[in-house]
Amino acid sequence: NAGVTQTPKFRVLKTGQSMTLLCAQDMNHEYMYWYRQDPGMGLRLIHYSVGEGTTAKGEVPDGYNVSRLKKQNFLLGLESAAPSQTSVYFCASTENSSGNTIYFGEGSWLTVV
Amino acid sequence: AQSVTQLDSQVPVFEEAPVELRCNYSSSVSVYLFWYVQYPNQGLQLLLKYLSGSTLVKGINGFEAEFNKSQTSFHLRKPSVHISDTAEYFCAVSRYGGSQGNLIFGKGTKLSVKP
């Protein structure tokens, strides 16, 4: 009954360090998404994927890279972390058809100092 | 492009009172509409969605919303709130025919239910 799982849940980085957030879903969904949530801003789409091997930019892609080598996994990378990337990151997934529910992970809290 | 405006950032209300959380959107194309709830330190959970058909949509936990195309609104209502409804609520849209995960979110409304 896992759904969408994000790791790690909490991380503190120093400016300039790199890291990868992992999102895994066990529902065989085609579409996967990475959002960031900042106070008073709602959620904003960073990157998304419409299937294995595909990625696309969302609303706020700068400073992030993604990969979808396996259908069940969607990785979000920060090559050189900046304090502006301090945020809560949410992964989500959904089937490739209208009307289906979007499932969100529980979030990853990232602090860049 | 689409945008979403949630007119109230915070809504305090007493337990068992009715509540309405307001959401307006702008879009040059048809959209799907959603309301999500986020409890503290948790992810988002879908409350309800409007895709097509009846403009009155019923969701979980006794919430409902009405799509008003002429006013480009999708307000969320509950006739009697509980303490457990205290959370942040997000209105969102996605482009009709596009991926439903490509959501544009409002900035959220914090509902605080007091005893």
Side-chain angles (χ1 to χ4, degrees):
Chain A
N1 208 22
V4 179
T5 303
Q6 296 180 224
T7 53
K9 195 168 180 65
F10 300 96
R11 183 74 186 269
V12 178
L13 281 179
K14 293 183 179 179
T15 298
Q17 284 185 319
S18 63
M19 76 157 295
T20 300
L21 295 175
L22 170 64
C23 177
Q25 52 94 3
D26 60 2
M27 297 170 283
N28 202 36
H29 285 168
E30 288 290 338
Y31 285 28
M32 296 186 74
Y33 309 85
W34 276 108
Y35 286 89
R36 60 177 289 173
Q37 182 180 27
D38 302 292
M41 296 291 291
L43 279 78
R44 293 177 292 169
L45 182 64
I46 305 171
H47 286 280
Y48 66 99
S49 168
V50 302
E52 182 178 322
T54 73
T55 63
K57 293 180 180 179
E59 182 184 356
V60 288
D62 294 342
Y64 304 95
N65 57 75
V66 287
S67 64
R68 183 97 182 269
L69 299 179
K70 294 183 179 180
K71 186 177 183 179
Q72 64 268 33
N73 295 337
F74 193 31
L75 279 65
L76 178 70
L78 286 71
E79 289 187 350
S80 180
S84 61
Q85 293 178 304
T86 294
S87 188
V88 184
Y89 292 85
F90 287 97
C91 178
S93 72
T94 187
E95 269 296 346
N96 182 20
S97 62
S98 299
N100 285 315
T101 298
I102 301 160
Y103 294 86
F104 282 84
E106 294 193 343
S108 295
W109 275 255
L110 176 64
T111 301
V112 183
V113 297
Chain B
Q2 296 82 44
S3 67
V4 177
T5 302
Q6 291 184 242
L7 297 161
D8 305 294
S9 60
Q10 297 189 43
V11 173
V13 65
F14 287 106
E15 193 174 19
E16 297 184 4
V19 70
E20 177 180 82
L21 306 184
R22 297 180 293 169
C23 173
N24 286 91
Y25 70 93
S26 72
S27 176
S28 58
V29 299
S30 296
V31 294
Y32 300 130
L33 294 153
F34 307 83
W35 274 100
Y36 283 85
V37 60
Q38 185 180 33
Y39 299 102
N41 299 320
Q42 293 188 24
L44 277 72
Q45 180 182 4
L46 180 67
L47 272 179
L48 47 80
K49 59 186 176 184
Y50 173 78
L51 303 180
S52 64
S54 172
T55 57
L56 182 63
V57 180
K58 293 189 183 298
I60 62 171
N61 301 341
F63 284 92
E64 64 180 31
E66 185 155 19
F67 169 55
N68 187 318
K69 188 174 182 179
S70 63
Q71 297 185 5
T72 60
S73 68
F74 191 55
H75 301 332
L76 181 71
R77 300 185 182 98
K78 187 170 182 178
S80 177
V81 294
H82 302 127
I83 297 287
S84 59
D85 292 323
T86 295
E88 190 159 19
Y89 293 79
F90 292 94
C91 181
V93 303
S94 67
R95 182 176 58 85
Y96 180 80
S99 165
Q100 286 187 50
N102 288 32
L103 294 165
I104 304 296
F105 283 88
K107 294 183 178 182
T109 298
K110 291 184 178 178
L111 175 65
S112 174
V113 182
K114 304 175 186 303

